Amino acid sequence: MNEHYARIIEAIGEDPQRPGLKDTPKRAAKAMQYLTQGYQQSLDDIVNEAIFPSDCSEMVLVKDIELYSLCEHHLLPFIGKAHVAYIPNGKVLGLSKVARIVDMFARRLQIQEQLTVEIAETIQDVTGAAGVGVIIEAKHMCMMMRGVEKQNSVMKTSAMLGSFRSQQATRTEFLSLIR
Ligand SMILES: [Zn+2]
């Protein structure tokens, strides 16, 4: 990957040998590895049996989870927040695991719509919940720094499964809790 970054630096008309850029290919490659580390992670390792029996049947919500991802069309960041809620059905997931699941999928090349659905379906699979709701709000550098240059537009996506899809009251509760 270092070699490829050196070629990119050349292709934009820079000199990869000049002092300021000498170590840039190495650093850029390391950063890219970090930003896409979700490909090296597995759900089993992340959840690591942190599933606990519970009688709770009220909504569990983790909101404002920081989210950093890369758009698969331009390899530019999109940055925002994820809100994840579910209604347990006999099992709950360790709280930090929700954020780690968000991270695992965000640290890949993504489109926001797909990321939202992947998180929702995974929470559903892991917990067997009666319903799952995920909302992501994010700003996309590919819109802000290039193209239409719309600096303030925020993209919102949602995925609603089970009772979040079938019951208006559950959806309304979720939406009011994240406001
Ligand atoms: Zn893009």
Side-chain angles (χ1 to χ4, degrees), residues 5 8 32 69-78 109-111 140-148:
Y5 271 116
I8 290 171
M32 182 54 88
S69 191
L70 286 179
C71 91
E72 68 182 24
H73 299 136
H74 304 95
L75 304 185
L76 288 172
F78 63 95
L109 306 185
Q110 277 290 3
I111 59 171
H140 289 247
M141 294 307 138
C142 60
M143 274 190 80
M144 296 168 72
M145 297 177 68
R146 57 164 287 288
V148 289

Side-chain angles (χ1 to χ4, degrees), residues 4 15 20 27 34 43 45 53 59-60 86 111 115 120 134-135 140 169:
H4 294 296
D15 170 13
R27 281 191 296 257
Y34 185 87
L43 189 58
D45 290 343
M59 187 177 298
V60 176
Y86 66 100
I111 59 171
L115 173 60
V134 176
I135 290 181
H140 289 247

Side-chain angles (χ1 to χ4, degrees), residues 66-123:
E66 283 175 58
L67 178 130
Y68 301 93
S69 191
L70 286 179
C71 91
E72 68 182 24
H73 299 136
H74 304 95
L75 304 185
L76 288 172
F78 63 95
I79 295 170
K81 289 181 292 190
H83 313 291
V84 177
Y86 66 100
I87 309 241
N89 186 17
K91 287 187 284 186
V92 293
L93 179 63
L95 270 192
S96 69
K97 304 299 183 182
V98 175
R100 295 204 57 201
I101 287 170
V102 169
D103 258 346
M104 179 179 81
F105 289 111
R107 301 291 193 184
R108 298 178 182 188
L109 306 185
Q110 277 290 3
I111 59 171
Q112 187 178 324
E113 297 88 331
Q114 180 67 24
L115 173 60
T116 312
V117 170
E118 284 177 346
I119 295 166
E121 288 179 345
T122 302
I123 300 286

